[in-house]
Amino acid sequence: MTVPLSTRTSRGSSAADWHPIRTDVSRVPRLVLATWAALFVNVLSPSGNETILAIPRPLLQVVAQGSLAAALVLALLVNRRLVVRPNLFLVLLTVLAIVSLAVSLHNEFLVGATYRGVRLVVYITVLWLLSPLWGRRDLLLLRVHRICLWAVLLTVVAGAAISPGTAFAFEGRLAGALWPIPPTQVAHYAALLFGTSAVLWMCRVISGRHALVAVLFSVAILAATHTRTALAGSVIGLVVAVASLFLGHARVRRVSVSTIALGIAGAVLFAPEIVRWLARGQSAGDAAQLTGRTKVWSDVIAVPRSPLESLFGSGLTNKSFNGLAIDSNWVSSYLEQGWFGLVIQASILLLLFAMAVTHVRGPRRALALFLVTYCVVASVTETGLGDASPYLLDLVVAASLLSPPATRTEP
């Protein structure tokens, strides 16, 4: 984002509700971008889909996991004075990470569970080192997050251009062909780029040309992935974000009315194609069971557990049960972190919503509401709110947007 936000208040909004965002004062610091990119690569865990280059999976895992050590070193270079900003969001995450590590020490698969626990602690340590960057007027963490989204999606498009057969080998859904990224995660990144670009444009933070390119690019990728969760999350998140801006921005009101009219017309004209896209070739029974996910959820909940395991879980795992992916943040968290983990994660989401409600009306609150709402919707069929994942980074960006400006000089 290099286009400055106009300092003029939009029609219908008061000056007290509008705080100019300075995105043209300085360029993105390279060390901060490198640190965030390393965190991003660490959660790009290689999946099993086919790629153009036959790179051994262990080598991909070494690159992904080794980037966390690089992120820690880079974060120490960014924050050489080791200054941190106390905030309840990171405190809750830290408590969750420490308890998860302690429980993982007693897991049946000691090495794997302990490694995941240590990884989560180090990951949150890096987030603490970046905490002085929260609340900046140039939306620094959001900007580096969007740069990483652009970079990942460009690799997906490049892979599809080089080898379309490989990119669409997963049931005809777009996946990463250079780096093995599953369609659901590709859709996640596209949905975030789409939603944040739309909100930034409505708030006059980015130009219309920038927004048009980003929206068309991300929507095309989102449609090619055939992922319903990302579509629902982006739509619901945008509705919540737009609702927070509706009274204060004339552009938002105009766009909302025109979008509703075009949406109704499109739904009438292209109803068969929309139904076919949503059905994805599945029967009504498969759709009702969320592509078989509910069976795994029932098996997880039906497992006999001791009171201690019900309270604190059995330790961090690879988010699977009997060889099948759980694909639900809340079910997997109940298995790994018990009721304690569920309460902490719910508290984090409620905290962010409370911070958004009490925050001044404007782009910061709208962007944070979009990110948090998207994560809540995706948590039904995706995992990661209680572990090192792209969803955790989304929540961190939302928390940084809602954080007050720092009183000290940032590192």
Side-chain angles (χ1 to χ4, degrees), residues 359-396:
H359 199 275
V360 65
R361 180 175 54 195
R364 294 176 181 275
R365 182 173 74 166
L367 288 163
L369 284 173
F370 169 78
L371 292 171
V372 179
T373 303
Y374 179 90
C375 290
V376 171
V377 175
S379 67
V380 178
T381 58
E382 297 288 338
T383 59
L385 295 187
D387 202 352
S389 72
Y391 295 98
L392 180 60
L393 289 181
D394 299 339
L395 294 180
V396 171

Side-chain angles (χ1 to χ4, degrees), residues 171-190:
E171 300 177 355
R173 303 168 64 186
L174 178 61
L178 295 179
W179 182 276
I181 308 174
T184 53
Q185 287 303 305
V186 174
H188 171 201
Y189 305 139

Side-chain angles (χ1 to χ4, degrees), residues 32-213:
V32 176
L33 178 58
T35 305
W36 197 261
L39 289 176
F40 212 95
V41 171
N42 183 249
V43 295
L44 281 178
S45 300
S47 63
N49 56 291
E50 185 182 355
T51 56
I52 297 174
L53 301 176
I55 304 176
R57 183 178 174 83
L59 179 59
L60 294 174
Q61 291 177 330
V62 167
V63 173
Q65 302 305 322
S67 63
L68 181 58
L72 179 60
V73 173
L74 291 170
L76 290 172
L77 293 176
V78 171
N79 190 355
R80 299 184 182 184
R81 293 179 296 166
L82 301 181
V83 178
V84 297
R85 291 189 64 185
N87 61 85
L88 185 56
F89 174 83
L90 285 180
V91 169
L92 290 174
L93 279 179
T94 304
V95 171
L96 180 62
I98 293 175
V99 173
S100 298
L101 175 60
V103 175
S104 298
L105 294 174
H106 304 280
N107 188 274
E108 178 183 1
F109 303 99
L110 176 63
V111 176
T114 303
Y115 171 77
R116 293 184 180 92
V118 172
R119 175 198 176 202
L120 180 57
V121 171
V122 175
Y123 206 90
I124 295 176
T125 300
V126 177
L127 297 179
W128 272 110
L129 291 173
L130 296 179
S131 61
L133 303 176
W134 291 25
R136 285 179 49 139
R137 302 189 69 180
D138 58 356
L139 308 180
L140 180 58
L141 290 189
L142 176 68
R143 294 163 68 191
V144 295
H145 196 55
R146 281 171 52 84
I147 291 173
C148 292
L149 293 176
W150 272 107
V152 173
L153 292 177
L154 286 174
T155 64
V156 173
V157 173
I162 296 172
S163 178
T166 303
F168 288 92
F170 189 88
E171 300 177 355
R173 303 168 64 186
L174 178 61
L178 295 179
W179 182 276
I181 308 174
T184 53
Q185 287 303 305
V186 174
H188 171 201
Y189 305 139
L192 289 184
L193 182 61
F194 162 64
T196 55
S197 298
V199 173
L200 288 169
W201 173 76
M202 285 188 285
C203 295
R204 304 180 186 275
V205 179
I206 61 176
S207 66
R209 182 180 301 177
H210 182 171
L212 181 62
V213 172

